[in-house]
Amino acid sequence: KIENFRITLHNSAGGAEDGKDSGGDAKAANEEGEEGKRPKSFRWTIPANSYIELAVDFSSTTAGKFNSRLGLMVVGDTREYSLLCSGVCAVPQISQEPRSVFMRRAKTQRPTSILTKQYVMDAKFFQFGPLLIGKDAKTRNSNDEAVIEALRKTNSDTFRITNTGLFDCHVDFSIMGQLVDQTTGQKNAVGVDAHTFIVEPKALDLKVDEMKEVTVWAFPTEAKDYKDSLLCSVHDNPVPVVFDLGCEGSAPKLELSLEKVEFSRLLVGQA
């Protein structure tokens, strides 16, 4: 697009101006003929055996790759000298590809199947599976490595965060149900236990193509299904990356097939 590129002429002080230079007679010709419009063509008078320096500025309000041609013509010559101008506008970003983020994946979850710490491809959410209720989330900070390792095997998993953009980026992590609406003061997700899911660390700095890991914990408090989302906010990117989460709170349960056991008459000493 032509509007993404702007021609400027360097002045003697090292700055740049539109269609004006102290070393020669330069004028900007506005082909549109409307005030406020950026000139699409310029005209310069260059003294013999001298030169001028042009600068082409690129800017865009949308992400993408843009191409245009800078055309130069000399009065009295029918030839056009063209220069291809290309620019890329992008925002910092991280990978959203499940194969890159999640170590274990399942195509689907059947009604009778039990998945444990797997990303369900068709439903697009991460399933922790059944977890015992009543565990204290503070236990993850215990000084006993054996306790932490046992808890990590059941109540946590690691997500891989990769910088796939063109710039270094800073990413903040939060749980959607824990966010508070600044206008109402209410949690964004009604009915979600705010302490069920925990993400650590809360932020990462990533170089281009660098991968780091975050740990997501789940601590259900009741025997029911829990759903929430991991929100990944990349600085200078207005669109956050969201990964849906789920787990099933489960309580130990025992069922007896009989209410009582009755034996027939037996002689003493017999079984």
Side-chain angles (χ1 to χ4, degrees):
K1 293 184 178 181
I2 297 177
E3 58 265 26
N4 296 114
F5 298 92
R6 172 173 170 264
I7 302 174
T8 58
L9 182 66
H10 281 279
N11 58 30
S12 57
E17 301 179 6
D18 287 342
K20 184 179 180 181
D21 181 59
S22 59
D25 182 14
K27 298 181 180 179
N30 190 340
E31 293 182 347
E32 301 267 333
E34 301 177 16
E35 291 187 8
K37 291 271 189 176
R38 180 182 295 176
K40 297 176 68 175
S41 65
F42 295 89
R43 186 179 301 117
W44 296 281
T45 301
I46 305 174
N49 298 319
S50 64
Y51 67 92
I52 60 173
E53 294 183 356
L54 300 178
V56 180
D57 297 330
F58 167 75
S59 64
S60 175
T61 57
T62 59
K65 183 175 182 179
F66 305 89
N67 295 307
S68 185
R69 285 191 175 276
L70 170 63
L72 300 172
M73 296 187 69
V74 179
V75 175
D77 191 347
T78 58
R79 291 177 297 175
E80 181 180 80
Y81 305 88
S82 62
L83 176 66
L84 176 63
C85 299
S86 179
V88 176
C89 184
V91 294
Q93 62 184 21
I94 59 175
S95 175
Q96 303 182 52
E97 172 57 44
R99 292 176 178 81
S100 172
V101 179
F102 305 101
M103 298 182 184
R104 293 170 297 278
R105 300 168 298 277
K107 290 184 178 180
T108 186
Q109 182 176 12
R110 297 171 183 170
T112 57
S113 64
I114 297 178
L115 298 181
T116 302
K117 297 199 294 187
Q118 294 188 60
Y119 182 82
V120 186
M121 300 292 286
D122 60 350
K124 297 182 179 180
F125 82 104
F126 182 83
Q127 175 64 275
F128 276 93
L131 296 173
L132 286 175
I133 64 174
K135 292 184 179 181
D136 189 354
K138 295 180 181 179
T139 309
R140 74 187 193 281
N141 298 321
S142 171
N143 294 325
D144 191 335
E145 282 296 329
V147 172
I148 297 177
E149 186 61 28
L151 195 64
R152 186 179 290 115
K153 288 181 178 180
T154 57
N155 291 72
S156 76
D157 201 26
T158 299
F159 295 0
R160 296 172 295 192
I161 308 299
T162 306
N163 182 356
T164 56
L166 302 177
F167 311 99
D168 295 348
C169 67
H170 177 86
V171 189
D172 292 309
F173 302 97
S174 57
I175 301 299
M176 188 81 74
Q178 298 174 5
L179 298 180
V180 176
D181 192 317
Q182 297 299 322
T183 58
T184 64
Q186 301 295 321
K187 290 186 177 63
N188 290 335
V190 179
V192 176
D193 190 328
H195 303 288
T196 301
F197 297 98
I198 301 171
V199 57
E200 295 174 332
K202 298 294 184 182
L204 287 177
D205 289 302
L206 297 169
K207 300 293 184 181
V208 176
D209 295 329
E210 184 179 11
M211 185 275 290
K212 291 184 179 179
E213 297 178 342
V214 296
T215 301
V216 179
W217 299 83
F219 294 97
T221 56
E222 299 179 30
K224 64 179 184 179
D225 289 335
Y226 290 83
K227 293 185 183 300
D228 212 323
S229 300
L230 173 64
L231 186 69
C232 311
S233 302
V234 183
H235 279 209
D236 296 322
N237 188 332
V239 182
V241 176
V242 179
F243 298 113
D244 292 332
L245 309 170
C247 74
E248 178 185 348
S250 179
K253 187 176 181 181
L254 178 65
E255 291 185 359
L256 296 177
S257 58
L258 298 174
E259 294 183 358
K260 62 180 180 179
V261 180
E262 294 183 355
F263 294 93
S264 59
R265 292 176 297 174
L266 296 173
L267 289 175
V268 175
Q270 291 184 343

Short mmCIF file of all heavy atoms in Angstrom, two decimals, residues 61-102:
data_model
loop_
_atom_site.label_atom_id
_atom_site.label_comp_id
_atom_site.label_asym_id
_atom_site.label_seq_id
_atom_site.Cartn_x
_atom_site.Cartn_y
_atom_site.Cartn_z
N THR A 61 -0.67 0.68 10.61
CA THR A 61 -1.56 0.52 11.77
C THR A 61 -2.04 -0.92 11.90
O THR A 61 -2.72 -1.25 12.86
CB THR A 61 -2.78 1.44 11.64
OG1 THR A 61 -3.47 1.16 10.41
CG2 THR A 61 -2.35 2.91 11.65
N THR A 62 -1.67 -1.78 10.95
CA THR A 62 -2.06 -3.19 11.00
C THR A 62 -0.83 -4.06 10.76
O THR A 62 0.13 -3.62 10.10
CB THR A 62 -3.13 -3.52 9.96
OG1 THR A 62 -2.64 -3.21 8.65
CG2 THR A 62 -4.40 -2.74 10.23
N ALA A 63 -0.87 -5.27 11.27
CA ALA A 63 0.24 -6.20 11.06
C ALA A 63 0.19 -6.79 9.67
O ALA A 63 -0.88 -7.00 9.10
CB ALA A 63 0.19 -7.32 12.11
N GLY A 64 1.35 -7.04 9.08
CA GLY A 64 1.41 -7.64 7.75
C GLY A 64 2.66 -7.22 7.01
O GLY A 64 3.49 -6.46 7.52
N LYS A 65 2.79 -7.72 5.78
CA LYS A 65 3.91 -7.36 4.91
C LYS A 65 3.37 -6.49 3.79
O LYS A 65 2.36 -6.81 3.15
CB LYS A 65 4.59 -8.61 4.33
CG LYS A 65 5.81 -8.30 3.49
CD LYS A 65 6.52 -9.56 3.03
CE LYS A 65 7.77 -9.23 2.22
NZ LYS A 65 8.49 -10.45 1.78
N PHE A 66 4.05 -5.39 3.52
CA PHE A 66 3.57 -4.42 2.55
C PHE A 66 4.67 -4.12 1.53
O PHE A 66 5.84 -4.02 1.87
CB PHE A 66 3.17 -3.12 3.26
CG PHE A 66 2.15 -3.33 4.35
CD1 PHE A 66 2.56 -3.61 5.65
CD2 PHE A 66 0.80 -3.26 4.07
CE1 PHE A 66 1.64 -3.81 6.65
CE2 PHE A 66 -0.14 -3.45 5.07
CZ PHE A 66 0.28 -3.74 6.36
N ASN A 67 4.25 -4.01 0.27
CA ASN A 67 5.18 -3.73 -0.83
C ASN A 67 4.67 -2.55 -1.65
O ASN A 67 3.46 -2.37 -1.82
CB ASN A 67 5.33 -4.96 -1.74
CG ASN A 67 5.96 -6.14 -1.02
OD1 ASN A 67 7.01 -6.02 -0.45
ND2 ASN A 67 5.28 -7.27 -1.05
N SER A 68 5.59 -1.77 -2.14
CA SER A 68 5.26 -0.66 -3.04
C SER A 68 6.51 -0.34 -3.85
O SER A 68 7.59 -0.87 -3.58
CB SER A 68 4.79 0.57 -2.25
OG SER A 68 4.36 1.59 -3.15
N ARG A 69 6.35 0.51 -4.84
CA ARG A 69 7.49 0.88 -5.69
C ARG A 69 7.68 2.39 -5.68
O ARG A 69 6.73 3.15 -5.84
CB ARG A 69 7.29 0.40 -7.13
CG ARG A 69 7.52 -1.10 -7.29
CD ARG A 69 7.57 -1.52 -8.75
NE ARG A 69 7.90 -2.94 -8.88
CZ ARG A 69 9.12 -3.44 -8.87
NH1 ARG A 69 10.15 -2.61 -8.75
NH2 ARG A 69 9.32 -4.73 -9.00
N LEU A 70 8.92 2.78 -5.46
CA LEU A 70 9.30 4.19 -5.55
C LEU A 70 9.75 4.46 -6.98
O LEU A 70 10.73 3.88 -7.45
CB LEU A 70 10.42 4.49 -4.56
CG LEU A 70 11.10 5.86 -4.68
CD1 LEU A 70 10.10 6.97 -4.42
CD2 LEU A 70 12.28 5.96 -3.72
N GLY A 71 8.99 5.28 -7.68
CA GLY A 71 9.31 5.59 -9.08
C GLY A 71 9.96 6.95 -9.23
O GLY A 71 9.51 7.94 -8.66
N LEU A 72 11.06 7.02 -9.98
CA LEU A 72 11.77 8.27 -10.23
C LEU A 72 11.87 8.51 -11.73
O LEU A 72 12.20 7.59 -12.49
CB LEU A 72 13.18 8.21 -9.62
CG LEU A 72 13.27 7.98 -8.10
CD1 LEU A 72 14.72 7.75 -7.70
CD2 LEU A 72 12.69 9.17 -7.35
N MET A 73 11.57 9.72 -12.17
CA MET A 73 11.67 10.09 -13.58
C MET A 73 12.39 11.42 -13.72
O MET A 73 12.34 12.27 -12.82
CB MET A 73 10.28 10.18 -14.22
CG MET A 73 9.51 8.86 -14.25
SD MET A 73 7.97 8.97 -15.18
CE MET A 73 8.61 9.17 -16.85
N VAL A 74 13.06 11.59 -14.83
CA VAL A 74 13.78 12.82 -15.14
C VAL A 74 13.03 13.54 -16.24
O VAL A 74 12.60 12.92 -17.23
CB VAL A 74 15.23 12.51 -15.59
CG1 VAL A 74 15.96 13.80 -15.93
CG2 VAL A 74 15.97 11.74 -14.51
N VAL A 75 12.84 14.84 -16.06
CA VAL A 75 12.14 15.62 -17.08
C VAL A 75 12.89 15.54 -18.41
O VAL A 75 14.11 15.75 -18.47
CB VAL A 75 12.01 17.10 -16.64
CG1 VAL A 75 11.38 17.94 -17.75
CG2 VAL A 75 11.19 17.20 -15.36
N GLY A 76 12.19 15.19 -19.44
CA GLY A 76 12.80 15.03 -20.76
C GLY A 76 13.20 13.61 -21.07
O GLY A 76 13.64 13.31 -22.19
N ASP A 77 13.08 12.71 -20.09
CA ASP A 77 13.42 11.29 -20.28
C ASP A 77 12.16 10.47 -20.01
O ASP A 77 11.48 10.67 -18.99
CB ASP A 77 14.54 10.90 -19.33
CG ASP A 77 15.11 9.52 -19.66
OD1 ASP A 77 14.48 8.78 -20.44
OD2 ASP A 77 16.18 9.16 -19.09
N THR A 78 11.84 9.55 -20.87
CA THR A 78 10.62 8.76 -20.74
C THR A 78 10.80 7.54 -19.82
O THR A 78 9.84 6.87 -19.48
CB THR A 78 10.15 8.26 -22.11
OG1 THR A 78 11.19 7.49 -22.73
CG2 THR A 78 9.80 9.45 -23.01
N ARG A 79 12.05 7.26 -19.49
CA ARG A 79 12.30 6.10 -18.65
C ARG A 79 11.93 6.39 -17.19
O ARG A 79 12.00 7.52 -16.72
CB ARG A 79 13.76 5.69 -18.73
CG ARG A 79 14.18 5.11 -20.07
CD ARG A 79 15.67 4.79 -20.07
NE ARG A 79 16.48 6.01 -19.89
CZ ARG A 79 17.80 6.00 -19.76
NH1 ARG A 79 18.47 4.85 -19.77
NH2 ARG A 79 18.47 7.14 -19.62
N GLU A 80 11.51 5.32 -16.49
CA GLU A 80 11.22 5.42 -15.06
C GLU A 80 12.18 4.51 -14.30
O GLU A 80 12.39 3.36 -14.66
CB GLU A 80 9.78 5.00 -14.74
CG GLU A 80 9.45 5.10 -13.26
CD GLU A 80 8.03 4.68 -12.94
OE1 GLU A 80 7.78 3.46 -12.85
OE2 GLU A 80 7.17 5.56 -12.80
N TYR A 81 12.78 5.07 -13.27
CA TYR A 81 13.68 4.30 -12.42
C TYR A 81 12.90 3.92 -11.16
O TYR A 81 12.41 4.81 -10.43
CB TYR A 81 14.91 5.13 -12.06
CG TYR A 81 15.64 5.66 -13.26
CD1 TYR A 81 15.28 6.88 -13.84
CD2 TYR A 81 16.68 4.93 -13.85
CE1 TYR A 81 15.94 7.37 -14.96
CE2 TYR A 81 17.35 5.42 -14.96
CZ TYR A 81 16.97 6.64 -15.52
OH TYR A 81 17.63 7.11 -16.63
N SER A 82 12.75 2.65 -10.92
CA SER A 82 11.91 2.21 -9.80
C SER A 82 12.74 1.45 -8.75
O SER A 82 13.72 0.78 -9.08
CB SER A 82 10.78 1.31 -10.29
OG SER A 82 11.27 0.14 -10.89
N LEU A 83 12.30 1.59 -7.53
CA LEU A 83 12.94 0.92 -6.40
C LEU A 83 11.85 0.25 -5.58
O LEU A 83 10.89 0.89 -5.14
CB LEU A 83 13.71 1.93 -5.54
CG LEU A 83 14.36 1.38 -4.27
CD1 LEU A 83 15.47 0.40 -4.61
CD2 LEU A 83 14.89 2.53 -3.39
N LEU A 84 11.98 -1.06 -5.39
CA LEU A 84 11.00 -1.81 -4.61
C LEU A 84 11.15 -1.48 -3.13
O LEU A 84 12.24 -1.57 -2.58
CB LEU A 84 11.16 -3.31 -4.83
CG LEU A 84 10.24 -4.22 -3.99
CD1 LEU A 84 8.78 -3.98 -4.37
CD2 LEU A 84 10.61 -5.68 -4.18
N CYS A 85 10.06 -1.10 -2.52
CA CYS A 85 10.04 -0.82 -1.08
C CYS A 85 9.20 -1.88 -0.39
O CYS A 85 8.06 -2.14 -0.79
CB CYS A 85 9.46 0.57 -0.81
SG CYS A 85 10.38 1.93 -1.56
N SER A 86 9.76 -2.51 0.62
CA SER A 86 9.06 -3.57 1.34
C SER A 86 9.20 -3.35 2.83
O SER A 86 10.27 -2.98 3.32
CB SER A 86 9.64 -4.94 0.95
OG SER A 86 8.99 -5.99 1.64
N GLY A 87 8.13 -3.56 3.57
CA GLY A 87 8.15 -3.39 5.01
C GLY A 87 7.28 -4.41 5.71
O GLY A 87 6.28 -4.88 5.15
N VAL A 88 7.67 -4.78 6.89
CA VAL A 88 6.92 -5.75 7.70
C VAL A 88 6.55 -5.10 9.02
O VAL A 88 7.40 -4.54 9.72
CB VAL A 88 7.74 -7.03 7.96
CG1 VAL A 88 6.98 -7.98 8.87
CG2 VAL A 88 8.10 -7.72 6.66
N CYS A 89 5.27 -5.16 9.36
CA CYS A 89 4.79 -4.65 10.64
C CYS A 89 4.24 -5.84 11.44
O CYS A 89 3.46 -6.63 10.92
CB CYS A 89 3.70 -3.60 10.43
SG CYS A 89 3.14 -2.83 11.96
N ALA A 90 4.68 -5.99 12.67
CA ALA A 90 4.27 -7.13 13.48
C ALA A 90 4.19 -6.73 14.94
O ALA A 90 4.62 -5.64 15.34
CB ALA A 90 5.25 -8.30 13.30
N VAL A 91 3.61 -7.62 15.75
CA VAL A 91 3.53 -7.43 17.19
C VAL A 91 4.21 -8.61 17.87
O VAL A 91 4.33 -9.68 17.28
CB VAL A 91 2.06 -7.33 17.66
CG1 VAL A 91 1.39 -6.09 17.11
CG2 VAL A 91 1.27 -8.57 17.25
N PRO A 92 4.71 -8.43 19.08
CA PRO A 92 5.29 -9.57 19.80
C PRO A 92 4.24 -10.67 19.96
O PRO A 92 3.05 -10.38 20.18
CB PRO A 92 5.68 -8.97 21.15
CG PRO A 92 5.80 -7.50 20.89
CD PRO A 92 4.78 -7.19 19.85
N GLN A 93 4.65 -11.92 19.88
CA GLN A 93 3.69 -13.01 20.00
C GLN A 93 4.36 -14.28 20.50
O GLN A 93 5.57 -14.43 20.42
CB GLN A 93 3.02 -13.28 18.64
CG GLN A 93 3.98 -13.71 17.55
CD GLN A 93 3.31 -13.88 16.20
OE1 GLN A 93 2.24 -13.33 15.95
NE2 GLN A 93 3.92 -14.65 15.33
N ILE A 94 3.51 -15.18 21.04
CA ILE A 94 3.98 -16.48 21.51
C ILE A 94 3.20 -17.56 20.77
O ILE A 94 2.14 -17.30 20.20
CB ILE A 94 3.80 -16.65 23.03
CG1 ILE A 94 2.33 -16.49 23.41
CG2 ILE A 94 4.67 -15.66 23.78
CD1 ILE A 94 2.04 -16.76 24.88
N SER A 95 3.72 -18.77 20.79
CA SER A 95 3.09 -19.87 20.08
C SER A 95 1.78 -20.28 20.75
O SER A 95 1.70 -20.37 21.97
CB SER A 95 4.04 -21.08 20.04
OG SER A 95 3.38 -22.20 19.44
N GLN A 96 0.76 -20.52 19.92
CA GLN A 96 -0.52 -21.03 20.39
C GLN A 96 -0.76 -22.46 19.92
O GLN A 96 -1.82 -23.02 20.16
CB GLN A 96 -1.67 -20.15 19.89
CG GLN A 96 -1.54 -18.69 20.29
CD GLN A 96 -2.72 -17.87 19.81
OE1 GLN A 96 -3.88 -18.19 20.04
NE2 GLN A 96 -2.42 -16.76 19.11
N GLU A 97 0.24 -23.04 19.26
CA GLU A 97 0.12 -24.39 18.72
C GLU A 97 0.17 -25.41 19.86
O GLU A 97 1.16 -25.47 20.60
CB GLU A 97 1.26 -24.66 17.73
CG GLU A 97 1.35 -26.08 17.24
CD GLU A 97 0.09 -26.57 16.59
OE1 GLU A 97 -0.49 -25.81 15.78
OE2 GLU A 97 -0.33 -27.70 16.90
N PRO A 98 -0.90 -26.22 20.04
CA PRO A 98 -0.93 -27.20 21.14
C PRO A 98 0.27 -28.14 21.15
O PRO A 98 0.76 -28.51 22.21
CB PRO A 98 -2.23 -27.96 20.89
CG PRO A 98 -3.11 -27.00 20.14
CD PRO A 98 -2.16 -26.22 19.28
N ARG A 99 0.77 -28.53 19.99
CA ARG A 99 1.91 -29.44 19.93
C ARG A 99 3.18 -28.80 20.48
O ARG A 99 4.10 -29.51 20.87
CB ARG A 99 2.13 -29.91 18.48
CG ARG A 99 1.02 -30.81 17.96
CD ARG A 99 1.23 -31.17 16.50
NE ARG A 99 0.21 -32.05 16.00
CZ ARG A 99 -0.99 -31.67 15.58
NH1 ARG A 99 -1.30 -30.38 15.61
NH2 ARG A 99 -1.88 -32.54 15.16
N SER A 100 3.21 -27.49 20.49
CA SER A 100 4.36 -26.78 21.03
C SER A 100 4.21 -26.50 22.52
O SER A 100 5.19 -26.49 23.25
CB SER A 100 4.57 -25.47 20.27
OG SER A 100 5.56 -24.67 20.87
N VAL A 101 2.98 -26.30 22.97
CA VAL A 101 2.74 -25.89 24.35
C VAL A 101 2.60 -27.08 25.30
O VAL A 101 3.16 -27.09 26.39
CB VAL A 101 1.47 -25.00 24.43
CG1 VAL A 101 1.20 -24.59 25.88
CG2 VAL A 101 1.63 -23.77 23.54
N PHE A 102 1.85 -28.11 24.86
CA PHE A 102 1.49 -29.21 25.76
C PHE A 102 2.26 -30.48 25.41
O PHE A 102 2.34 -30.87 24.24
CB PHE A 102 -0.02 -29.48 25.68
CG PHE A 102 -0.85 -28.25 25.95
CD1 PHE A 102 -1.41 -27.53 24.90
CD2 PHE A 102 -1.04 -27.80 27.24
CE1 PHE A 102 -2.16 -26.40 25.14
CE2 PHE A 102 -1.79 -26.66 27.50
CZ PHE A 102 -2.35 -25.97 26.44
#
